[in-house]
Amino acid sequence: MTSMKTIENWALHAYVDGELDAADREAIEKLLASDAAARSAVDAYKRQNDALKQAFTDVLSEPVPASLVAVLKAPTRLRQRPWVSIAAALALVVLGGLGGWFTGRDPGGVRAEVIADNAIAAHEIFTAEVRHPVEVTASERDHLQAWLSKRVGVSFKVPDLTAEGYTLLGGRLLASSDQPAAQLMYEDANKRRITIFLTANPGKSETALRVEERGPLIACYWLDGPLGLVVAGEMDRDRMMKLARIIYDKFQA
Amino acid sequence: MDFKQQLAGELPHLRRFAWALIGDAALADDVVQDCIERALVKSHLYDPDRPLRAWLFAILRNVFISSLRRSGRSAVVKTVDELVGGEGSVAPAQEDRLSAAQVAEALNRLPHQHREVIVLVGIEEMSYRDVAEITGVPIGTVMSRLSRARSALRDILEERGHTVLRRVK
């Protein structure tokens, strides 16, 4: 007789959740017929699913609040959520000591997040490229700077990060939502890559420095003056904050 | 059907997912609102060959997690003390059906990574593959989290005196 011990517990979960193909399903059903422990586990999982679903079933049939429907009717626009202000207040406490980072109001919060999302996606796609990580290499630094400044619509200097241990590889032109963006890529002696992502900030709104962590990847981003910037790489939070601060200063100069 | 209409059709599920995930109906609707605003801004990134609901759930989850991270809280939960002493200590259910508040409260005591998996699988009936994509972890991780979430949730509900989940059919 097959017993619970010979069948992995996950197979019972997968059975309840309809994840098994016909052959596996049949095998489990055979087991259930003879194994009371497996049967009671499966029953318990099913009852739990039912209880969860029943508890939250009403929300599916109740009318959707007008405020939510209104969002779909209104022209696309980003609102300020209360926690963004809370977060801004917290950021003030945390970053206040750094001076100059924080600008008080935070109207570009969600916009900055969208830029950060795009920058992180671009970082993941292009830092993985072995042969073509950049469009224009560092050997054409002046051209790179002139070209990307022109396309982004804001004149900027490609920062020199050699003192921080990073060599410029080059850069490329990308899109961030509806506007052009530039990605600059650098590499350290151990071939670890970081990127700086820049895009115009037409509203000139400003945000505090924000940090987004996605698994091993960490990104710092902010809107300041004519530019929105995102620095992304795999390193610990403190190092990233220091690096972001240095890059922030270079863009102030 | 245009994108906004499709989005409108997903609102009830987004609200349910958010409510079960966050445990507070009002905050949940705020997160849903943020989620649709972002979905509209990012609509060009949506691949129509993929299920819209899973795409939206991933956005909603990110909105929620960013909000937690930004406000420096590990979760929108009541502390165990509050649960034991205050409004959290609901009487055992009189009927078989647990209320949304009771279940939400039990879910809130699970670690966030376990809660989102059991909500997506148990309530929203998402496939393991979709859950893996939404939460950004391998399928094996989804399965082990689900298994741990199920036994933890059963313990929590039993400890609270609810009989529904261990009643023998």
Side-chain angles (χ1 to χ4, degrees), chain A:
Chain A
M1 191 181 90
T2 331
S3 81
M4 267 290 282
K5 293 200 176 87
T6 59
I7 291 269
E8 294 286 342
N9 180 258
W10 64 259
L12 297 180
H13 288 281
Y15 171 75
V16 170
D17 298 320
E19 292 279 331
L20 298 181
D21 61 23
D24 287 341
R25 211 161 44 231
E26 216 171 286
I28 296 286
E29 273 157 12
K30 222 174 260 177
L31 167 81
L32 292 177
S34 62
D35 187 327
R39 214 160 44 231
S40 102
V42 163
D43 282 348
Y45 303 155
K46 281 187 178 162
R47 275 202 306 279
Q48 195 180 67
N49 275 359
D50 290 346
L52 286 173
K53 255 180 272 188
Q54 274 185 10
F56 289 100
T57 191
D58 290 348
V59 69
L60 284 189
S61 46
E62 74 183 41
V64 172
S67 58
L68 291 181
V69 180
V71 178
L72 289 173
K73 299 221 167 106
T76 306
R77 187 178 66 85
L78 293 168
R79 255 171 350 106
Q80 181 75 15
R81 301 259 14 117
W83 61 64
V84 177
S85 327
I86 297 166
L90 285 172
L92 176 60
V93 174
V94 175
L95 300 168
L98 295 175
W101 277 100
F102 188 74
T103 49
R105 296 301 301 153
D106 199 5
V110 179
R111 199 189 132 67
E113 279 172 44
V114 172
I115 296 173
D117 271 353
N118 292 333
I120 288 169
H123 177 94
E124 284 172 339
I125 292 167
F126 293 111
T127 54
E129 281 291 323
V130 179
R131 290 189 57 191
H132 308 291
V134 296
E135 241 176 319
V136 174
T137 63
S139 60
E140 295 180 274
R141 193 181 191 114
D142 290 345
H143 165 64
L144 178 72
Q145 187 166 296
W147 171 56
L148 290 178
S149 291
K150 186 169 168 225
R151 294 309 309 272
V152 168
V154 179
S155 176
F156 67 89
K157 263 199 189 131
V158 171
D160 180 358
L161 298 176
T162 42
E164 285 69 45
Y166 290 99
T167 316
L168 180 72
L169 292 179
R172 63 170 68 238
L173 179 67
L174 293 166
S176 174
S177 302
D178 51 357
Q179 58 184 30
Q183 183 191 55
L184 303 172
M185 198 183 299
Y186 298 77
E187 193 173 74
D188 74 4
N190 297 315
K191 306 270 177 210
R192 280 186 301 242
R193 289 170 173 178
I194 59 163
T195 57
I196 302 176
F197 187 92
L198 315 90
T199 187
N201 176 29
K204 303 252 196 308
S205 51
E206 299 188 330
T207 63
L209 173 90
R210 290 148 176 269
V211 183
E212 174 84 23
E213 282 174 79
R214 304 249 178 106
L217 185 67
I218 181 162
C220 278
Y221 61 100
W222 63 91
L223 301 182
D224 186 35
L227 281 173
L229 277 126
V230 185
V231 182
E234 293 188 10
M235 65 184 79
D236 67 44
R237 199 185 170 95
D238 287 350
R239 270 193 63 202
M240 174 50 87
M241 297 289 275
K242 255 181 232 154
L243 185 64
R245 169 72 206 240
I246 289 163
I247 292 167
Y248 173 88
D249 285 343
K250 288 188 190 286
F251 277 94
Q252 296 300 301

Side-chain angles (χ1 to χ4, degrees), chain B residues 45-103:
Chain B
L45 296 173
Y46 170 60
D47 168 5
D49 293 336
R50 300 276 310 128
L52 178 62
R53 187 170 302 164
W55 185 72
L56 292 171
F57 279 4
I59 296 178
L60 193 148
R61 176 185 176 270
N62 283 340
V63 169
F64 173 56
I65 290 178
S66 317
S67 75
L68 292 182
R69 196 173 286 144
R70 266 183 247 121
S71 56
R73 299 168 70 180
S74 61
V76 184
V77 291
K78 296 188 175 82
T79 64
V80 176
D81 286 349
E82 283 174 304
L83 288 172
V84 172
E87 46 158 335
S89 50
V90 235
Q94 295 299 307
E95 41 182 336
D96 276 1
R97 192 177 150 175
L98 296 167
S99 75
Q102 286 168 324
V103 175

